[in-house]
Amino acid sequence: MDKQVILTGDRPTGPLHLGHYVGSLENRVKLQHAYNEYIIVADAQALTDNAENPEKIRANIMEVTLDYLAVGIDPLSATIFIQSLIPEIAELTMYYMNLVTLSRLQRNPTVKQEMRQRGFGSNIPVGFLVYPVSQAADITAFKANLVPVGADQLPMIEQTVEIVRRFNAVYKPILVEPEAMIPETIARLPGIDGQGKMGKSLGNAIFLGDSADDVQRKVKGMYTDPNHVRVQDPGKVDGNPVFTYLDAFCPESEKEKLALMKEHYQMGGLGDTIVKEYLNGILQDFLGPIRSRRAEFSKDPAGVMNILHQGTDRAREIAAQTLSEVRKAMGINYF
Ligand code: TRP
């Protein structure tokens, strides 16, 4: 039987961080052999709120691809490609836009939150509001069954499913309904400031390519339990980002030690400095090999671009096949 298909990806607006790893990268690496995996570098989506900065998007295509390769995405197993070089996705977006209402787009909770963050007010770029439709095109162009993403992307998958159902009902049932794959344990890693999620643009991220010194400095400055003032005070573990990170990155062999530390912290008598030093050690062990693989790949930018070029060629063939089925289902295959 043919392998099932995964499609997922990122906007190239900055390098990737630990939140991306926990939310999606880890699953992508795990599943790349069992599935036919496509990873989209969504430059056209990134432009929907960066129209004035195409050079920023261009530069970050390299950064994001280096992050993929550094965490262990194998370009022989997974197909990494650039969204804007697949014009079939843009054409699918045109047809899908007719199957979605404006009010439905305005209700998308992730888009709503992003609009608030960006302070668009009433000056919302149309492309930005519509990007969930283009994301549905990304996913359906590959007939993806599974989309490994962080929890914030759930509304996009829901909208995609609605578009697929509508298309299949109005025309012919040729599109595939995707399912989101969200990590069970920690769906969303908080920022080092404890303020909501870790975000590229929020200044609260530990990046996969950060130097050892940067990681140490960021861990030292992390938000903990604000009521844990003196060492002897009882501290809170739940909602304390230092412990959330430990839960996410602690290797199996350290789990017992971590459980004891949590008890100690909750009882009082365990200082934040010690817990942070412990976390720093664990993160350094985790990030060290990623950092050195990243440095290795970054010596050969032409080689990285070649991986993208080949991936894009492969991806385009699949998207073109789907588009031709779509046009046929709609009866607009004129000649
Ligand atoms: N919207 C995603 C993000 O902001 C990026 C993305 C674009 C994506 N197209 C996709 C994710 C298709 C999954 C599937 O991170």
Side-chain angles (χ1 to χ4, degrees), residues 47-317:
L47 284 165
T48 62
D49 64 332
N50 283 285
E52 279 109 41
N53 298 308
E55 66 293 338
K56 167 179 150 191
I57 306 307
R58 185 187 175 116
N60 281 306
I61 285 179
M62 177 56 82
E63 297 305 313
V64 166
T65 308
L66 284 172
D67 286 327
Y68 292 158
L69 298 171
V71 297
I73 297 289
D74 174 1
L76 295 176
S77 293
T79 300
I80 311 174
F81 67 97
I82 299 179
Q83 183 186 30
S84 69
L85 293 176
I86 316 280
E88 288 78 5
I89 290 177
E91 188 173 336
L92 288 172
T93 305
M94 284 289 287
Y95 305 139
Y96 294 170
M97 279 198 283
N98 304 326
L99 304 174
V100 182
T101 65
L102 180 59
S103 69
R104 176 64 183 91
L105 286 168
Q106 287 166 331
R107 275 201 314 272
N108 184 308
T110 298
V111 174
K112 265 165 82 174
Q113 195 201 1
E114 287 172 331
M115 289 193 305
R116 269 197 304 275
Q117 274 172 1
R118 287 160 179 70
F120 283 147
S122 54
N123 299 316
I124 308 156
V126 172
F128 189 81
L129 190 68
V130 170
Y131 90 70
V133 181
S134 114
Q135 189 156 333
D138 300 339
I139 295 168
T140 54
F142 297 88
K143 300 199 173 163
N145 311 94
L146 202 60
V147 187
V149 277
D152 63 312
Q153 293 297 303
L154 260 180
M156 308 305 160
I157 316 304
E158 277 167 21
Q159 267 205 283
T160 303
V161 169
E162 286 172 30
I163 291 171
V164 168
R165 290 193 181 152
R166 187 91 207 285
F167 184 98
N168 286 348
V170 173
Y171 307 111
K172 284 201 178 84
I174 58 155
L175 298 180
V176 173
E177 280 185 33
E179 210 181 302
M181 181 186 215
I182 312 279
E184 275 160 35
T185 41
I186 298 156
R188 149 176 316 188
L189 204 66
I192 54 172
D193 55 359
Q195 299 296 306
K197 71 164 189 170
M198 188 177 276
K200 261 180 265 196
S201 52
L202 304 173
N204 65 3
I206 296 177
F207 294 98
L208 297 171
D210 271 350
S211 70
D213 283 354
D214 280 344
V215 173
Q216 186 175 34
R217 184 179 48 77
K218 288 180 182 178
V219 171
K220 263 197 187 146
M222 267 179 84
Y223 175 92
T224 62
D225 171 4
N227 297 317
H228 186 238
V229 183
R230 287 161 304 180
V231 172
Q232 63 268 31
D233 291 341
K236 261 172 76 175
V237 163
D238 285 342
N240 183 333
V242 177
F243 283 101
T244 311
Y245 288 21
L246 281 169
D247 281 335
F249 293 99
C250 187
E252 215 41 56
S253 57
E254 293 281 315
K255 286 267 151 82
E256 234 180 278
K257 176 165 177 193
L258 176 58
L260 290 173
M261 269 185 130
K262 284 183 181 173
E263 266 178 42
H264 193 175
Y265 193 83
Q266 283 167 314
M267 242 160 41
L270 180 60
D272 282 336
T273 319
I274 295 186
V275 189
K276 285 179 176 176
E277 267 166 24
Y278 182 55
L279 174 63
N280 179 55
I282 284 177
L283 287 183
Q284 299 290 357
D285 287 350
F286 171 73
L287 288 171
I290 294 178
R291 189 184 304 123
S292 50
R293 273 198 302 269
R294 204 180 190 284
E296 227 15 73
F297 281 113
S298 68
K299 285 185 202 152
D300 181 19
V304 175
M305 286 320 268
N306 192 36
I307 288 171
L308 284 169
H309 195 160
Q310 290 191 0
T312 302
D313 286 348
R314 276 208 300 276
R316 190 159 182 203
E317 277 180 37

